Amino acid sequence: MHASKSKKITRAQRVRLVRLPLAAAICLAMAAPAFAQDAAPPASSTTTPATKQKTTTLGEVTVTAQKRTENLQKVPISINVLAQDQLEALQVQNFNDYVKYLPSVTFQQGGGGIATGPGFATIYMRGVASGGNTNHSGSQPSVGVYLDDQPVTTIQGPLDIHMYDIARIEVLAGPQGTLYGASAEAGALRIITNKPDPSAFAANYTVGTDQVDHGGIGDTFEGMLNLPISSNAAVRLVGWHEHDAGYIDNVAGTRTFPNRTPPDPPSWGGTISNADNCTPSATLQCVGHARKDYNDVNTNGARAALKVDLNDDWSISPTLMGQQTISHGSFASDPAIGSLAVTHFYPERVDDRWWQGALTVQGKIGNFDLTYAYAHLKRDQEEQTDYNDYSFWYDTLLSYGAYIHDNSGALINPSEFITDRDAYTNSSHELRIASPSDDRLRLVAGAFWQKQKHDIMQDYQINDLGSDLSVPGWPNTIWLTKQMRYDHDESVFGELSYDFIPDVLTATVGDRYFRTRNNLYGFYGFSSGFSPGSSYGQAGCISPEPFLGAPCMDFNKQVKESGSLKKYNLTWNISPSKMLYLTRSEGFRPGGVNRAGDIPPYQADFLTNLELGWKTTWLDNRLSFNGAVFRETWNHFQFNILGPNGLTIIENANSARIDGLESQLNWQASYNLTLTAGVAFYDAKLTAPYCGFTDANGNPSTNCPVGTINPSTGLDGPQAATGTRLPITPRFKGNLIARYAFNLGGNDAYVQGAFVHVGERTTDLRAVESNLLGNLPSYNSVDISAGIQKNSWSVSVYIDNLFDTRAAQYKFTECGVTICGAHGVVPQYPDGQVYTGFSQPRTIGIRFKQDF
């Protein structure tokens, strides 16, 4: 990167440096590497922008992935970074906007009564994906999501944070077990906010509007104020409002239930309609309302941050951030109705509210840096979900349901709808120390403690349900889930680095010792009148006392685990601008309990990574080329499935292996043209069969040749054979971004094009289910934008999804795939009722921004 080695600051100079005011110290520290490059020093994120000095070299990107502030090109980890200027140029506002530019990341949503839309994504990295159902009683995520230093991952999906005034997104691919611990098994995604700056006043605002093809009009309003309070303190206030227009129509339609008679369970044989002009009759019920542009979203939020430099060595930074997102409708389409359409009959709405208070204290003890990070997250989700598919396919069509009647004994419309409430709290503490970064022997060490609480309520209702079938105390409720879940994580960690040859050869060893505990208890199931012989629900009570409004407690389980994770790294700096590294690292995901009494707990799964990577710059710092090749072994991985009655079951499913290559290229081709590209190639497959059953201790069976009948499903042979491809992840994903800057009437202007390719993906690990759902086809997507800046204001116009591509992101059914996805059962649904989540249609927008 440098024509010659950068000048080092001596220990004596460091002693004098800490006596300077903080702002001067920061400027001097940034200036040292800048003088050694042919580039202007980066401007503060809070100052009023001036005309940018033209340069043909790449700017330095700093990251904090290793709990230190470091140059990206000097960090021996496979990291993707989207900096603030890239986020703004790509018009990024939420998770769906930025995930397509992260080659190592995939996601899925929906299924089993779980809502789709903002805040419900299950994130995967590097092909470490089983594709199983995500549920409140299921596995913890395999990818950790962090807001600054604080974890913001919850069981059913991380926070979908509005992307405004964000310094950068760091994506750490591969196991991050030693520094990040549980739920960073496959990687970590870090959202880094801009911090208060005491050196200068700054403010800006943004207004924008957009038109979605096949949909409505959206708008955005954002504002930021950075206010110095004194020479050593500042507050930063940020607020936003975003309205995302809907584009999926709830089309008017009907559903007729089969008229079952004995010996089948008798059922109502009427019809329901969601049409506005519906006229009810003895055999026709009018429910719900058809509506165009059904899936609109409104997001409002704010962030307040304070930074106080207590002296030259110590600072304190409290932050309070909150957001409310209200979404309507479904974000997946029913292809039998239309490419952007469904026919649903009952309310669909999510109110997702959260706030997080955080405190970071930084200081020095001797020449060691000390950091304490505390966070408390509170998230409340209230959901309404149409569960009519389950009633139609499972309860009546295939005769799995019972006699659904009212208090008079008359058969009634068996359609179910769900009212949910999920209340999360997450408290975490981390205390760590770091020795001086220029010492030959360096240490980062610390302790971490986290407690997550999830208060779960799911009320499955049928209008006018007889009281003898209803859960006691819950009128019209055919099934009730009222549970408490606690996940505890305690650990100590450390990484020790030693320069065998200063500035050339460095070895690092890391270790993390952890203890985890998963508690799950409460009530789930039917009334004793509906299911008198059940081992759960009211008939399965283990205590006569009511439980938080439920009739009783019908299960109470706990699992404890402990262990350690290792990391070994050897880094060779071939020259100041070229580096090779070899890493062996480990990650894990805690085990837990299954609610059903006869199903054993699921065990922790572990991911071992062997990686050879490189970080290089070329052409006098005009081009950077980074990448890694790796092999990951995923042992006894957890697999969530929908069992009987839509009940989530978690099993350990033997082992898989992922071979891959990731690479990123950044090229400042001229003063005007910048090219960036990212690619990922994965070969992810089972190395042992998934039989679909375990022993009494939860260990997966490997002996299930053809002729072996699965005791749970009755299927012959393995559900997924050795060599089966892991779902959700394409063999290839890549992107290319070209930006051309030029002068227009004395003002800075640009045009930009971004191309994304995602390869074909399978949808389920199991052969039968995967065939029923069908694959997700490959697709290409193009975004374009242009803008101009004059003094303190700028205007940009953009078109996302230029060619209006129907890019399939995920597929799911509302009940077991072999039931709701059954082929040839219903003429209207020859391929079953399988939903597909597509990317947003072509969107044309304009934004205006002004800085002060």
Side-chain angles (χ1 to χ4, degrees):
M1 285 177 50
H2 308 296
S4 60
K5 291 184 178 179
S6 300
K7 295 180 181 179
K8 287 191 173 181
I9 300 175
T10 67
R11 186 177 300 276
Q13 288 173 318
R14 286 202 311 271
V15 172
R16 291 195 297 270
L17 194 96
V18 299
R19 295 174 181 168
L20 296 172
L22 180 66
I26 293 174
C27 290
L28 182 57
M30 293 176 64
F35 290 147
Q37 300 183 46
D38 185 20
S44 165
S45 63
T46 62
T47 56
T48 301
T51 302
K52 294 182 180 178
Q53 179 179 335
K54 291 184 177 181
T55 177
T56 57
T57 61
L58 298 171
E60 181 177 306
V61 177
T62 59
V63 296
T64 53
Q66 295 192 122
K67 311 288 186 177
R68 298 175 183 271
T69 300
E70 299 172 289
N71 181 347
L72 171 65
Q73 292 300 108
K74 297 298 182 181
V75 180
I77 299 176
S78 181
I79 307 178
N80 241 75
V81 176
L82 292 175
Q84 181 171 350
D85 57 347
Q86 294 172 294
L87 295 171
E88 292 179 355
L90 293 169
Q91 315 299 327
V92 168
Q93 291 188 297
N94 53 45
F95 172 79
N96 285 342
D97 291 337
Y98 65 76
V99 70
K100 60 186 175 182
Y101 297 109
L102 304 175
S104 62
V105 182
T106 55
F107 73 100
Q108 72 176 120
Q109 292 185 341
I114 298 172
T116 57
F120 288 93
T122 301
I123 303 174
Y124 306 111
M125 281 192 189
R126 280 192 170 180
V128 181
S130 63
N133 165 260
T134 301
N135 182 271
H136 50 68
S137 301
S139 300
Q140 291 195 42
S142 64
V143 173
V145 179
Y146 296 81
L147 177 61
D148 294 319
D149 277 332
Q150 294 80 30
V152 291
T153 308
T154 58
I155 298 300
Q156 292 182 179
L159 306 181
D160 194 345
I161 300 169
H162 182 80
M163 293 289 107
Y164 173 64
D165 196 46
I166 301 297
R168 63 187 180 276
I169 297 174
E170 298 178 6
V171 179
L172 288 59
Q176 307 298 321
T178 53
L179 290 182
Y180 292 90
S183 293
E185 177 184 40
L189 192 156
R190 306 180 68 233
I191 300 168
I192 310 299
T193 60
N194 284 318
K195 306 301 186 291
D197 182 0
S199 66
F201 168 84
N204 65 57
Y205 69 91
T206 302
V207 295
T209 186
D210 58 59
Q211 167 70 58
V212 182
D213 276 17
H214 317 281
I217 297 175
D219 54 66
T220 303
F221 300 91
E222 303 162 327
M224 181 278 294
L225 174 66
N226 185 85
L227 184 64
I229 300 172
S230 65
S231 61
N232 65 333
V235 64
R236 194 177 189 96
L237 304 175
V238 184
W240 58 88
H241 162 81
E242 177 185 356
H243 169 69
D244 294 323
Y247 52 87
I248 292 179
D249 296 336
N250 189 17
V251 176
T254 62
R255 167 165 278 173
T256 300
F257 288 83
N259 184 14
R260 298 289 189 187
T261 58
D264 291 334
S267 62
W268 180 73
T271 299
I272 59 175
S273 171
N274 70 347
D276 288 337
N277 60 355
C278 171
T279 302
S281 68
T283 58
L284 176 64
Q285 286 192 9
C286 302
V287 294
H289 298 282
R291 183 163 71 87
K292 288 182 64 64
D293 307 335
Y294 190 44
N295 60 323
D296 61 298
V297 182
N298 287 291
T299 301
N300 296 283
R303 183 176 84 245
L306 172 68
K307 186 175 189 293
V308 179
D309 298 323
L310 302 175
N311 55 38
D312 292 343
D313 291 338
W314 289 86
S315 68
I316 182 170
S317 303
T319 302
L320 182 64
M321 184 174 181
Q323 181 174 288
Q324 180 180 37
T325 300
I326 298 176
S327 60
H328 301 94
S330 170
F331 288 78
S333 301
D334 184 344
I337 307 300
S339 64
L340 295 173
V342 295
T343 295
H344 284 179
F345 302 92
Y346 292 89
E348 295 178 292
R349 182 181 186 270
V350 175
D351 185 351
D352 186 358
R353 308 179 304 275
W354 60 267
W355 63 266
Q356 184 187 64
L359 174 67
T360 301
V361 179
Q362 295 175 302
K364 283 186 173 293
I365 298 178
N367 61 351
F368 278 68
D369 293 322
L370 183 142
T371 302
Y372 168 70
Y374 163 76
H376 180 78
L377 170 68
K378 181 173 175 55
R379 182 183 192 185
D380 293 294
Q381 291 176 312
E382 296 177 1
E383 307 153 35
Q384 294 173 290
T385 307
D386 185 335
Y387 207 44
N388 181 264
D389 291 358
Y390 181 93
S391 305
F392 177 73
W393 288 86
Y394 191 92
D395 282 342
T396 60
L397 190 65
L398 300 183
S399 301
Y400 291 141
Y403 168 39
I404 306 297
H405 58 262
D406 61 17
N407 283 330
S408 70
L411 295 173
I412 60 172
N413 172 11
S415 298
E416 292 185 38
F417 55 94
I418 309 173
T419 300
D420 298 6
R421 192 203 67 245
D422 293 285
Y424 305 90
T425 59
N426 185 341
S427 296
S428 64
H429 303 261
E430 181 172 294
L431 180 66
R432 65 178 183 268
I433 59 170
S435 62
S437 59
D438 57 355
D439 282 359
R440 189 169 183 178
L441 180 67
R442 299 178 296 281
L443 171 71
V444 174
F448 178 80
W449 180 92
Q450 178 178 246
K451 179 181 178 181
Q452 300 182 71
K453 175 185 175 182
H454 186 182
D455 183 349
I456 306 160
M457 189 281 290
Q458 289 192 317
D459 184 1
Y460 294 71
Q461 301 174 63
I462 297 175
N463 286 331
D464 301 320
L465 183 67
S467 57
D468 59 325
L469 302 181
S470 300
V471 175
W474 296 75
N476 298 326
T477 296
I478 190 169
W479 174 288
L480 176 67
T481 298
K482 192 71 180 75
Q483 299 174 176
M484 295 294 293
R485 174 173 179 163
Y486 289 91
D487 291 280
H488 298 255
D489 178 18
E490 304 165 358
S491 57
V492 291
F493 62 90
E495 286 192 0
L496 187 67
S497 300
Y498 180 72
D499 296 333
F500 286 104
I501 303 175
D503 299 323
V504 178
L505 188 65
T506 302
T508 299
V509 295
D511 198 358
R512 188 183 191 101
Y513 173 77
F514 64 84
R515 296 187 305 185
T516 65
R517 184 170 75 250
N518 170 246
N519 298 73
L520 186 63
Y521 56 91
F523 178 91
Y524 71 99
F526 303 105
S527 69
S528 57
F530 185 90
S531 183
S534 177
S535 61
Y536 52 85
Q538 188 182 10
C541 289
I542 61 174
S543 169
E545 299 298 323
F547 175 77
L548 299 179
C552 64
M553 182 186 296
D554 60 6
F555 79 107
N556 186 356
K557 296 184 177 182
Q558 175 178 284
V559 168
K560 294 182 179 180
E561 294 177 307
S562 63
S564 64
L565 303 168
K566 311 290 185 184
K567 176 182 176 180
Y568 306 96
N569 172 269
L570 186 65
T571 300
W572 177 28
N573 289 290
I574 303 170
S575 71
S577 62
K578 296 172 180 62
M579 176 182 75
L580 286 175
Y581 66 87
L582 179 66
T583 297
R584 183 189 184 277
S585 57
E586 298 175 338
F588 90 109
R589 180 169 47 164
V593 301
N594 279 296
R595 292 179 288 176
D598 56 347
I599 299 178
Y602 57 95
Q603 303 171 0
D605 57 14
F606 291 86
L607 185 69
T608 302
N609 174 56
L610 185 62
E611 178 175 325
L612 176 65
W614 62 91
K615 298 282 182 77
T616 64
T617 56
W618 306 79
L619 305 178
D620 296 325
N621 199 32
R622 290 172 52 199
L623 183 147
S624 68
F625 176 50
N626 303 337
V629 292
F630 61 87
R631 167 167 287 187
E632 294 184 339
T633 303
W634 196 15
N635 290 320
H636 286 194
F637 65 88
Q638 297 164 15
F639 185 40
N640 297 2
I641 62 173
L642 281 179
N645 294 314
L647 189 66
T648 297
I649 297 171
I650 308 96
E651 299 176 333
N652 290 91
N654 283 319
S655 300
R657 184 177 66 219
I658 303 100
D659 295 327
L661 179 150
E662 299 163 344
S663 185
Q664 304 89 38
L665 182 144
N666 295 276
W667 182 25
Q668 188 71 51
S670 68
Y671 287 118
N672 307 96
L673 181 62
T674 304
L675 298 174
T676 63
V679 296
F681 298 85
Y682 298 118
D683 180 18
K685 58 190 178 185
L686 292 179
T687 54
Y690 169 55
C691 295
F693 56 92
T694 64
D695 63 20
N697 296 318
N699 297 305
S701 174
T702 59
N703 184 23
C704 54
V706 175
T708 303
I709 303 301
N710 185 318
S712 301
T713 64
L715 297 175
D716 185 5
Q719 295 191 41
T722 300
T724 296
R725 183 178 164 193
L726 297 186
I728 309 304
T729 301
R731 287 193 172 96
F732 172 74
K733 180 180 179 182
N735 64 76
L736 174 65
I737 303 171
R739 182 182 179 90
Y740 186 81
F742 58 97
N743 184 279
L744 182 63
N747 303 307
D748 291 332
Y750 77 91
V751 291
Q752 178 172 284
F755 170 80
V756 173
H757 173 82
V758 177
E760 185 182 35
R761 294 134 291 155
T762 60
T763 49
D764 199 289
L765 180 70
R766 300 160 294 178
V768 172
E769 285 78 358
S770 185
N771 288 333
L772 291 174
L773 289 171
N775 287 350
L776 296 165
S778 62
Y779 66 86
N780 300 318
S781 179
V782 176
D783 301 338
I784 61 173
S785 60
I788 185 171
Q789 178 177 321
K790 180 179 177 64
N791 299 323
S792 64
W793 62 262
S794 61
V795 177
S796 60
V797 295
Y798 60 91
I799 305 177
D800 288 344
N801 195 0
L802 176 65
F803 299 107
D804 200 24
T805 302
R806 293 291 169 269
Q809 307 290 321
Y810 51 88
K811 292 185 177 184
F812 66 89
T813 61
E814 284 292 6
C815 61
V817 176
T818 55
I819 299 171
C820 280
H823 291 189
V825 176
V826 180
Q828 184 183 5
Y829 301 103
D831 297 324
Q833 194 165 8
V834 176
Y835 293 90
T836 302
F838 294 107
S839 60
Q840 183 166 304
R842 177 171 47 230
T843 302
I844 302 173
I846 183 170
R847 287 186 185 166
F848 175 85
K849 180 179 181 181
Q850 186 172 15
D851 293 272
F852 298 95

